[in-house]
Amino acid sequence: MARISAGPADALAPGERTFVKHRNFEIGVFNVNGEFRAYRNRCPHQLGPACEGAISGTLMGSADTDWQLEWVLDGRVLLCPWHQVEFDLDTGERIRGLGERLRAYTVEVDDGELYVHV
């Protein structure tokens, strides 16, 4: 397993991202409300650069809200820039659709530095 440096942890503020390369692919590293997440920069939908998309929230309705739409997951939804496919940054799972997910990697903070395990 490779351990790739992604820079100082304190340089990646909540809501921001950085990218690292490993061999022939790129990984997006995100600070999601103080928690670090890393995903391969490839959308499972049509192989677009998912990690380059906007970070937002989404509208959802449920039985709990009597099916009224409400804004949820603010700052935790990644929108693939090719087709606006939404992914939950906490899990990498596609929010609506066929059960697709982004390829996730473990992120470690060691002595103030971020490392992605590939």
Side-chain angles (χ1 to χ4, degrees), residues 19-39:
F19 291 90
V20 296
K21 289 198 182 243
H22 178 67
R23 297 186 182 160
N24 62 344
F25 62 92
E26 193 171 55
I27 298 169
V29 182
F30 298 84
N31 182 333
V32 184
N33 298 322
E35 298 286 328
F36 297 102
R37 305 280 190 260
Y39 299 104

Side-chain angles (χ1 to χ4, degrees), residues 63-78:
D64 292 339
T65 64
D66 198 24
W67 301 106
Q68 297 297 310
L69 293 178
E70 64 180 352
W71 187 251
V72 296
L73 303 173
D74 192 38
R76 296 179 8 227
V77 175
L78 177 64

Side-chain angles (χ1 to χ4, degrees), residues 4-9 12 18-20 29 107 113-116:
I4 302 162
S5 175
L12 194 62
T18 190
F19 291 90
V20 296
V29 182
V107 180
E113 294 289 316
L114 284 173
Y115 294 94
V116 178

Side-chain angles (χ1 to χ4, degrees), residues 25-96:
F25 62 92
E26 193 171 55
I27 298 169
V29 182
F30 298 84
N31 182 333
V32 184
N33 298 322
E35 298 286 328
F36 297 102
R37 305 280 190 260
Y39 299 104
R40 186 168 182 181
N41 189 18
R42 187 172 77 182
C43 181
H45 173 239
Q46 288 192 348
L47 309 181
C51 294
E52 296 175 18
I55 298 172
S56 186
T58 192
L59 288 171
M60 285 188 171
S62 68
D64 292 339
T65 64
D66 198 24
W67 301 106
Q68 297 297 310
L69 293 178
E70 64 180 352
W71 187 251
V72 296
L73 303 173
D74 192 38
R76 296 179 8 227
V77 175
L78 177 64
L79 297 166
C80 179
W82 281 13
H83 301 104
Q84 304 305 300
V85 174
E86 296 176 317
F87 295 94
D88 184 331
L89 277 172
D90 287 327
T91 64
E93 293 179 4
R94 185 173 173 173
I95 293 176
R96 294 173 190 82

